[in-house]
Amino acid sequence: MLVDSPPEQRAESVSAPPTRRLVRAVGLLVSVLILVVVALASIAIGAKQLSIGEVWHGLFDASGTYGDVVVDDRISRTLLGLLAGAALGLAGSVLQALTRNPLADPGLLGINAGASAAVVTAITFFGVTSLSGYVWFAFLGAAAVGAVVWFLGGSRGATPVRLALAGTAISAALYGYLQAVMIMDDAALNKMRFWTVGSLSSATDATIEQVLPFLGVGMVLALALARPLNAMEMGDDTAKALGADLNRTRVLSMLTATVLCGAATAACGPIVFVGLMVPHVVRSFTGPDLRWILPYAAVLSPVLLLGADVLGRLVARPSELQVGIVTAILGGPVFIFLVRRRRTAQL
């Protein structure tokens, strides 16, 4: 397995100097403030242009037209973006630590595609129409594909290239299946054409209420895995010496990624690259300590997702570009850069 950082750098994650811990804490606070600003922008900016006064009126008086636009639509959309972004960022961080593979990502490894294929199957062939019904199919599809990719990638001997190739191949096959199903079924096409590219536009209070328990459990599990995953970063023998249960950590990590990706995908469709880009940015200034990477990822991933959603509303006014398309456009060049950088480092 390839490890993203040398042993002496990983050892620093156990005991960081007080000054660096203070800098990290201040940085996390700044990240929260940035998230607040982006969330407010998500509420204020949309396909329908509103003045600051109209937005303010809508926030505090939901009885009129402006209230309908701002409160019922944009706030629900923003809250779902916050939850889904945090879930994808945490899932990506956990998968990268688990596989010791800096290119691991729910989208690249096919987990999102598995959840999507299972949801489309549930809706088209089993008549499941409610989120509370097909969220279980999303979990099943995510878990099944995650296991297949892990096996094809070499299991414990997985390398970044093999995992990426396995995930890409399975994703291509599953998205081909999705297109075939929607082409053969006009009703499915109309229902799923926005969902399959990843979108926050259909967010409602009911959507948030249904996925919140799953996302809450997944986020708590992810944060609780910081210490055992830190131990595993030092190597299996060292992790065992530190008292880490390797099998339990691996199972819980895959379960956590499945719950987070399954719930997020069920709510807003497959959104790629969020779980890849943010952990890389975070790791550049926090170091390899997951006790900091995970909180930062939980805060900055919604910044990316909501920022992409706002950008999609601006560039296509009066219509909008779905957030899954925007993140794919942004993430493609980033992925190429990361692959080239790793290749250069290995030469």
Side-chain angles (χ1 to χ4, degrees), residues 42 139 160 170 179 181 184 192 209 312:
S42 178
F139 291 148
I170 292 176
Q179 295 301 317
V181 170
M184 292 186 296
M192 307 303 298
E209 290 172 359

Side-chain angles (χ1 to χ4, degrees), residues 111-131:
I111 295 177
N112 286 348
S116 300
V119 169
V120 170
T121 299
I123 293 174
T124 304
F125 298 109
F126 298 101
V128 180
T129 57
S130 66
L131 178 62

Side-chain angles (χ1 to χ4, degrees), residues 8 21 68 92 95 98 130 138 182 230 240 249 299:
E8 59 271 16
R21 289 200 296 267
D68 292 341
L95 287 174
L98 174 66
S130 66
M182 290 189 292
N230 269 345
K240 290 178 181 178
T249 300
V299 173

